[in-house]
Amino acid sequence: MKRAIVMGGSYGGLFAARVLSDYAEDVVVVEPDVIGEDGFGRRTPQRHQLHALLAMGHTQLEGWFPGITEELVKGGALLGEGDDVQFYLDGRLKAPATGARMLGATRPFLESHLRRRVAALENVRFSQAQATGLVLRERRVVGVTTATPESGDGAGDTVDAEFVVDAMGRNSPLEDWLVRDGWHKAPVDRMRIDLGYATATFRRGDELGSTVVAHSSPGPTSDYQPRVTEPGALVAVEGDRWSVVLAGYADYQPGPDREEFHRRMRRCVAPIRTVADVSEMIGGVRTYRFVESRRRVHSRLSRFPGGLVVAGDALASVNPIYGQGLTLAAVAANALGAYLRSAPDVHDPAWEYFRLVEAVVDGAWQLSTAADLAQPHVTGPYPRGYRVQRWVADKLTEASVLDSAVNTQYMGVVNMELPPKALTNPRFLARAARVLLSS
């Protein structure tokens, strides 16, 4: 290709630009936000929240940006392995998972390193502008219209392109543009979850030894308030800091009050309680609300413009409490790479790309929505056989607390390294059953 355009320069857009740099002479990343060296921008408040990078996301990161893990660790990030990574259920520490490995870093820190890597590519350039529409001709995209603050009347430039990626996030205007030009919107699956979460930062010493990640899943709830422990996570990040996130649904969402945040931390698992007791909070508490999970399913359309794909949160945005967002963005970019390696005619609709990426999104959607349906305020839609599926899932979760082999496979699915069907493998189910019978 002569030129490809990525609309959106956040995490998913940076990954897409890296992939496209192997296939286009010129890659333009169109991003209106002013993002500083620290990775923070004005338009993305969720960047301040704690983000997890699942094992598959870390694999994709290192695959597309070789050596970046070492670079991040030298810059202050931490790489947790083995016992450094702790997962709790109902306040109980789960059995160790073989090969457990997670990177401790904030999203702005991670994203700033990606941006520097992408900006250093000879055929990639950044344009500080707002994408305002598509240019379509003969049923395919041939360019993008843009505007800058200096445009005044909004009449900016038109940038020609053979291929365009929408990485403008969950509120992307792409669907409205397509309808305006006579196309149909992609069907959308939704699940209202009404989640609120809050993140605070603390000074980090040696109070937790080598711990890098401690993640707490709640026990049973009553009026949305956990009876056993609060849901939350703690991650050691760059700058000798702890990043702590707490979550809650419906009427039990955490607020910005520092004292309330400390109180909720003290109702969480031991590592988070320790930080609440001995570590100094830096700055305030930042809150964020996530109303619904949604995914756009382009493969259900009968027609779609050629030379156009959708990635990142613009494609699918699921409950962030499961930490799938950054990994889904990376996997979408990897699917784009697989699609382009097959040497398609990029002027045609990218059905094969959507088939590849939707297979991965479907797995993440199954996991997150199945767990969300256990919340008392989430009303469906329920899949066929949900009650049986839920009973089995609860038993497998219980077995994962008790047995390392069960937890290793269980976490492989959670970390998106294995497909959900790995939890229905007869040998796996038999081992889980033996663990429960002997407990």
Side-chain angles (χ1 to χ4, degrees), residues 151-164:
S151 301
D153 59 0
D157 296 326
T158 296
V159 186
D160 295 337
E162 291 177 85
F163 197 80
V164 174

Side-chain angles (χ1 to χ4, degrees), residues 10-89:
S10 192
Y11 194 83
L14 294 171
F15 247 101
R18 166 62 190 91
V19 172
L20 286 167
S21 70
D22 289 346
Y23 299 94
E25 295 175 17
D26 182 28
V27 179
V28 183
V29 181
V30 178
E31 168 58 55
D33 203 0
V34 178
I35 302 174
E37 282 293 313
D38 58 3
F40 284 103
R42 296 173 299 183
R43 297 173 180 242
T44 49
Q46 71 270 28
R47 272 201 185 101
H48 293 275
Q49 300 297 325
L50 176 61
H51 285 69
L53 186 64
L54 303 181
M56 175 53 76
H58 190 187
T59 298
Q60 296 297 336
L61 178 68
E62 186 65 31
W64 286 103
F65 299 90
I68 197 167
T69 301
E70 182 180 357
E71 180 183 314
L72 291 165
V73 170
K74 283 183 178 179
L78 286 90
L79 185 62
E81 299 181 277
D83 293 341
D84 299 341
V85 180
Q86 303 166 20
F87 282 84
Y88 293 80
L89 177 73

Side-chain angles (χ1 to χ4, degrees), residues 135-165:
V135 182
L136 296 128
R137 187 180 307 131
E138 296 178 353
R139 295 180 295 180
R140 67 182 180 89
V141 175
V142 296
V144 172
T145 59
T146 66
T148 63
E150 293 76 20
S151 301
D153 59 0
D157 296 326
T158 296
V159 186
D160 295 337
E162 291 177 85
F163 197 80
V164 174
V165 177

